[in-house]
Amino acid sequence: MSAVGAAAGAGVAVLERYEPVIGIEVHCQLKTASKMFCSCSTEYDGAPPNTHVCPVCLGLPGALPVINRRAVEHVLATGLAIEATNPATTRWDRKNYFYPDLPKGYQISQYDLPLAAHGRLAFETSTGPFTVGIRRAHLEEDTAKLVHVTTADGRTVSLVDFNRSGAPLMEIVTEPDIRTAEQARRYAEELQLLLRAIGVSDADMERGQLRVEANVSLRPRGAETFGTRVEVKNMNSFRSVERAIAFEIERQAAALDAGETLTQDTRGWDDTRGVTYVMRSKEDSQDYRYFPEPDLPPLRLDPAWLAEIRARLPELPAARRARYQAALGLSAYDATVLVNEPRAIELFEALVGAGIEPKRASNWVTGEYLRLLRRFSTADAAWLEPSRLGRELAELIRLQAADQITATNAKEVFEAHFETGQAIAAIIAARGFTKISDEAMLEGTVDQVLAANPSAVADVRAGKPQAIGFLVGQVMKATRGQANAALVGEVLRRRLGGQGG
Ligand code: ADP
Ligand code: MG
Ligand code: ZN
């Protein structure tokens, strides 16, 4: 049984006695061309070690940092998107500590004047809407990467790759508002969606672009003060976030029940074993001796600059979901599915822009389109570019709405187009799907079916309505599913009515 399953089972009794308190810290790699304080490129993914470096990001004495404007704009944009406040003036601070991945002996970060503070993020959970307060979002630089390897002669050595050193990093810290593992997972998911929507980060968890840490403590139900918290790291997926927190709640409850005192540890999540383990003890919090960075000037945030950044913000996921429901009449479920996939949004907007009724457009996008997107590796093909695909699909939807092609055939045509890029009209012509609403042709087939099924015809005349269904089915069969079923029914009734007088 998984940790989530185990926690869900045993959790009820635990949750009657204890209230979990959870706060989330997220480190997010910002999408910029160059690093935070130098002009080295951030395109170091897959590059040989130590090829994207300069005196600034190697921490050589005397090298001077320069602020990356785009990185600042990304944090300001995030702040606006989470309804945070911005200080009139901000600055950078040195966070002093020693570690081999930090050659300067300090990290340039922000301490008491973060670029954004007092924000919030609202999202849906299985038990209803929930809002998490966000304490702050600030800008800092990433560290280098340590690589531990075993040499040919069996020694274990640690190598340093400075490519990541000095890359821009945004830290987002919530208030301790979260009460369940699911709320924590949903917060991280919604934050990822938001960061991607505003274009500040690719926020891929598996690639370390979105690193989630959870602070978890328990307090007896009704207590005011928080219990001792544990910080959990190394969760590489949303599922791990939920499982790790669920595990930690159970573990802490068992310890408290046994009369143990919890220590303020940093723990890691072992996804395979489904447990957290002690990484380091954090009994007395480290003193980083923060002080203002003397090599950088304070930064004044011009209101006009902020207004520009606000004007550039796209429609945010929450607003889009709300609009799709209120203005376009979609269900909450459909709106969520669409907004979760940028390509689905684009295709849906293209269809609605082409005059397709929103519910019909949404059905095609959330159904067939997303199914095919998952199934085919052609997903990057030029003909799948949303506005182009939208034009083709709109044509197909119109034919179906006008009863010129059946739903089954339309799906077949769309799949063929998705796979090959062949024009919708060409596929329909090649497969002979164009004549299905040709009444003259249907009358011919209907007459053949009537002649071949005299007993069914007799049943209809005797007033058995099921027999009509049987005859429609025979016509559909004769036309390989291409007949417009409603029209077949009409023709049949007309023919039988005429004959029956
Ligand atoms: P640090 O700087 O050591 O990481 P912070 O005070 O900034 O500590 O808090 C980090 C995170 O932990 C925040 O998200 C905060 O909401 C959360 N937090 C603080 N106290 C608790 C607690 N007792 N239980 C759970 N989470 C907590
Ligand atoms: Mg922390
Ligand atoms: Zn550099």
Side-chain angles (χ1 to χ4, degrees), residues 21 23-25 135 173-176 215 217 226-227 229 282:
V21 172
I24 302 286
E25 290 170 87
R135 187 176 286 176
V173 182
T174 75
E175 295 295 341
N215 291 267
S217 69
F226 290 155
R229 76 182 143 115
K282 202 180 176 184

Side-chain angles (χ1 to χ4, degrees), residues 259-281:
E260 291 169 29
T261 337
L262 293 169
T263 51
Q264 200 184 313
D265 297 331
T266 297
R267 299 178 74 95
W269 168 247
D270 182 331
D271 202 50
T272 314
R273 286 164 56 221
V275 298
T276 63
Y277 57 92
V278 183
M279 291 175 80
R280 58 178 173 270
S281 180

Side-chain angles (χ1 to χ4, degrees), residues 363-398:
N363 285 345
W364 271 92
V365 178
T366 60
E368 287 308 291
Y369 175 70
L370 288 181
R371 182 180 70 79
L372 294 171
L373 205 56
R374 276 190 293 270
R375 196 172 123 197
F376 289 112
S377 50
T378 47
D380 289 330
W383 62 85
L384 296 179
E385 188 274 312
S387 66
R388 189 165 154 188
L389 182 62
R391 275 194 300 276
E392 291 286 321
L393 181 54
E395 182 188 330
L396 183 61
I397 295 175
R398 266 197 212 96

Side-chain angles (χ1 to χ4, degrees), residues 351-363:
L351 290 174
V352 173
I356 302 298
E357 193 266 315
K359 181 65 195 162
R360 202 186 275 273
S362 162
N363 285 345

